[in-house]
Amino acid sequence: MASDREVLREVWDGKLPVCFTLLADQVSTVGEPDPYYLMVPRMSYFPLVLEKVKKHFVKFIDTQYQDNEMWLDYNGTPLKWHYPIGLLYDFHVTDNQLPWNITVHFDKFPANEILHCPSREAVESHFMSCIKEADVLKHRSQIVSNMQKKEHNQLWLGLQNDKFDQFWVINKKLMDPGENGNFKHIPFRCYQGDLPFSQCLVKPVKSEGISNTLQNLL
């Protein structure tokens, strides 16, 4: 993985310019708030970057809604907070328009379409579950189960605070293919339309010794 460091850094540094706008029906003041612009990491999750956005808009809504959970939509579609930001953009935006125009809500939470996110701890729990699932497929969970609590924390804080070196000093252990040079299986998720994501067991090498490709997987 060391030889791929420049590529890994380029992927990590990917950012998206986002224009957040409060839903007009929720404005309770005489003047409407200005949109809030933010550069957000593609690798992160929306609940980790919305603190300033909420602070900007909350003073323009009725006090009865100010403690409500904030949620987002793009073109009328609620955005799933447990999907990485870059995935959400690639999944929903077909014309590559930037900045990405997102509407902010404080009322009528669409609980039948998206999950509640009560705290950052919920995001951490989801993220670590994904890490553990991937490690089961790659190493039969041998890496994560042998990591110390402080290493789990460092991995999470690296993502939360957008710190590449802090994250990768731990993540490189999860990306080590081991002595035979291959993972047991390749963890992946395939997203399509409104369907749940697809998964299946895929080995990096076929039985005849030929490397599997993305085309084979699809």
Side-chain angles (χ1 to χ4, degrees):
M1 295 303 294
S3 61
D4 297 328
R5 182 177 176 83
E6 290 186 10
V7 176
L8 296 172
R9 185 80 205 211
E10 286 291 325
V11 173
W12 180 275
D13 286 341
K15 302 282 194 300
L16 286 169
V18 181
C19 173
F20 295 94
T21 304
L22 180 63
L23 182 70
D25 289 350
Q26 292 204 248
V27 178
S28 64
T29 56
V30 175
E32 292 191 0
D34 292 331
Y36 193 88
Y37 292 87
L38 196 64
M39 290 291 289
V40 298
R42 289 179 56 94
M43 300 282 287
S44 190
Y45 297 86
F46 269 125
L48 302 182
V49 301
L50 292 179
E51 184 175 343
K52 292 181 179 178
V53 177
K54 182 174 183 178
K55 187 178 296 184
H56 174 72
F57 288 124
V58 74
K59 56 183 175 289
F60 293 95
I61 64 175
D62 193 285
T63 54
Q64 65 176 316
Y65 302 122
Q66 290 182 356
D67 292 329
N68 285 5
E69 182 176 349
M70 189 175 77
W71 60 279
L72 310 173
D73 90 63
Y74 171 68
N75 281 353
T77 300
L79 297 177
K80 296 179 170 63
W81 65 262
H82 59 290
Y83 286 7
I85 294 171
L87 168 62
L88 287 169
Y89 177 81
D90 295 340
F91 195 58
H92 292 289
V93 181
T94 57
D95 57 4
N96 295 324
Q97 177 187 355
L98 292 173
W100 187 12
N101 294 301
I102 290 177
T103 304
V104 175
H105 302 254
F106 287 88
D107 189 24
K108 300 179 181 177
F109 189 94
N112 60 329
E113 297 182 70
I114 57 175
L115 301 174
H116 284 283
C117 183
S119 64
R120 288 194 172 200
E121 285 71 23
V123 187
E124 179 182 4
S125 177
H126 167 73
F127 172 72
M128 292 308 301
S129 292
C130 292
I131 292 292
K132 292 174 182 177
E133 179 184 332
D135 192 50
V136 168
L137 294 170
K138 290 187 291 187
H139 307 107
R140 298 190 179 93
S141 195
Q142 294 175 356
I143 305 299
V144 169
S145 60
N146 289 328
M147 288 170 59
Q148 299 179 16
K149 176 64 175 176
K150 65 179 182 180
E151 293 177 302
H152 288 198
N153 290 340
Q154 181 171 337
L155 191 69
W156 163 246
L157 290 174
L159 178 76
Q160 176 181 270
N161 300 324
D162 194 25
K163 301 293 185 182
F164 174 84
D165 292 326
Q166 182 180 13
F167 180 87
W168 268 99
V169 74
I170 303 300
N171 194 53
K172 66 183 180 182
K173 299 179 181 181
L174 299 167
M175 298 304 294
D176 185 354
E179 295 180 0
N180 64 359
N182 286 310
F183 297 133
K184 178 68 175 174
H185 296 97
I186 300 173
F188 81 97
R189 290 177 176 177
C190 184
Y191 296 83
Q192 181 180 7
D194 295 328
L195 301 173
F197 59 76
S198 302
Q199 289 179 293
C200 63
L201 290 178
V202 177
K203 292 182 177 292
V205 179
K206 299 180 182 179
S207 56
E208 57 269 30
I210 302 173
S211 296
N212 250 322
T213 67
L214 179 60
Q215 184 178 11
N216 298 145
L217 184 152
L218 294 175

